[in-house]
Amino acid sequence: MDKADTPQTRFNRVLLKISGEALMGDQGYGLHPPTVSRIAEEVRAVHDMGVEICMVIGGGNIFRGLQGSAQGMERTTADYMGMLATVMNALAMQSALEAHGVFCRVITAIRMDEVAEPYIRRRAVRHLEKKRVCIFAAGTGNPYFTTDTAAALRANEMACEAIIMGKNGVDGVYDKDPRVHEDAKRYDKVSFDEVLARNLKVMDASAIALARDNNLPIIVFSLDEPGGFSGILAGQGTFTTVGG
């Protein structure tokens, strides 16, 4: 798309963070290829708007380190297994994006050269400048840090203008779980400090603090809403802005 078209978008470079569970569809585990393809199509629509896109995908549909640790597994080992799960999800998304005609790179915090590129910040920035989608996998490469923290870290390193959080089943940030409480109140805008003080479950506390300290807004929307991602970039739809 011609650069003259990009001013119609709110942001020129963003990071999309989604959970691994978003890729399961109606299954209880693993990957649901039609769901992965649908999300890839949403990413393609935003890519066609001229927006530079980074992605971070969780691994909870395959393995979650905290759950493994809770069941008696040594925490560091469990976290590394969770990082490998995020690589599997990233490769699945790469395949789906390429099927939609979008060039992309999987970039990992743990070296696995036969599978993906190692994380080198300047190289990743260059990929974005060439309009390739960068999918950052394996978290930060360290145990005890979540993919939320990895998303906030990479978004800052890549000079993204916002983190876009795609949620399942909710269209923003609520004061309590709207799937359980009918009187739950949705916020159109909420501060970082209120998210932390009220434990509003947007991202983990480390990620929220990192975004706050760098004045990086977080926009929360529903992945279930067709066109929701592109709607945000056009300033339309239902979502909550944290900070900004």
Side-chain angles (χ1 to χ4, degrees):
M1 183 172 289
D2 193 279
K3 288 185 178 180
D5 295 328
T6 58
Q8 68 182 344
T9 65
R10 297 177 62 192
F11 306 108
N12 294 314
R13 181 181 293 175
V14 299
L15 185 142
L16 174 65
K17 167 64 170 68
I18 62 177
S19 67
E21 288 86 348
L23 307 183
M24 292 192 309
D26 294 330
Q27 303 173 157
Y29 176 84
L31 290 157
H32 184 239
T35 299
V36 178
S37 180
R38 178 183 64 80
I39 295 173
E41 174 59 28
E42 296 274 339
V43 174
R44 186 200 62 78
V46 172
H47 182 267
D48 286 351
M49 297 167 71
V51 178
E52 297 171 2
I53 304 168
C54 308
M55 293 184 71
V56 170
I57 308 172
N61 57 318
I62 298 171
F63 188 87
R64 188 178 293 277
L66 274 175
Q67 290 178 353
S69 178
Q71 294 172 10
M73 186 177 292
E74 194 269 325
R75 173 65 188 272
T76 300
T77 298
D79 279 356
Y80 279 122
M81 291 174 66
M83 291 179 213
L84 296 177
T86 71
V87 177
M88 295 173 68
N89 285 338
L91 292 172
M93 182 58 64
Q94 179 186 46
S95 178
L97 284 168
E98 289 176 343
H100 286 286
V102 178
F103 293 105
C104 60
R105 295 289 187 274
V106 173
I107 301 171
T108 59
I110 299 172
R111 292 192 72 98
M112 46 186 78
D113 295 344
E114 291 79 12
V115 174
E117 293 185 9
Y119 176 69
I120 299 172
R121 187 183 68 84
R122 287 181 179 272
R123 181 185 293 175
V125 169
R126 185 61 178 148
H127 286 320
L128 292 173
E129 291 171 348
K130 291 183 176 181
K131 304 304 179 184
R132 298 166 182 156
V133 173
C134 288
I135 308 174
F136 296 111
T140 66
N142 303 286
Y144 297 95
F145 290 92
T146 68
T147 51
D148 282 350
T149 303
L153 175 63
R154 297 294 185 237
N156 279 296
E157 289 181 301
M158 295 297 105
C160 292
E161 296 164 346
I163 297 173
I164 313 296
M165 286 283 296
K167 295 285 190 178
N168 299 94
V170 291
D171 57 0
V173 179
Y174 287 77
D175 60 350
K176 47 193 169 185
D177 191 341
R179 294 166 291 191
V180 178
H181 304 279
E182 292 184 0
D183 61 341
K185 171 191 171 184
R186 189 180 67 81
Y187 298 92
D188 287 327
K189 187 176 177 63
V190 63
S191 70
F192 290 117
D193 289 338
E194 186 170 0
V195 167
L196 291 171
R198 302 191 62 179
N199 193 25
L200 293 179
K201 306 294 185 185
V202 178
M203 303 176 88
D204 67 46
S206 296
I208 293 293
L210 186 55
R212 178 194 61 190
D213 292 348
N214 291 277
N215 196 29
L216 180 67
I218 302 168
I219 299 174
V220 183
F221 78 108
S222 173
L223 270 177
D224 303 323
E225 182 66 28
F229 187 20
S230 56
I232 288 171
L233 274 296
Q236 302 168 353
T238 303
F239 54 83
T240 298
T241 302
V242 180

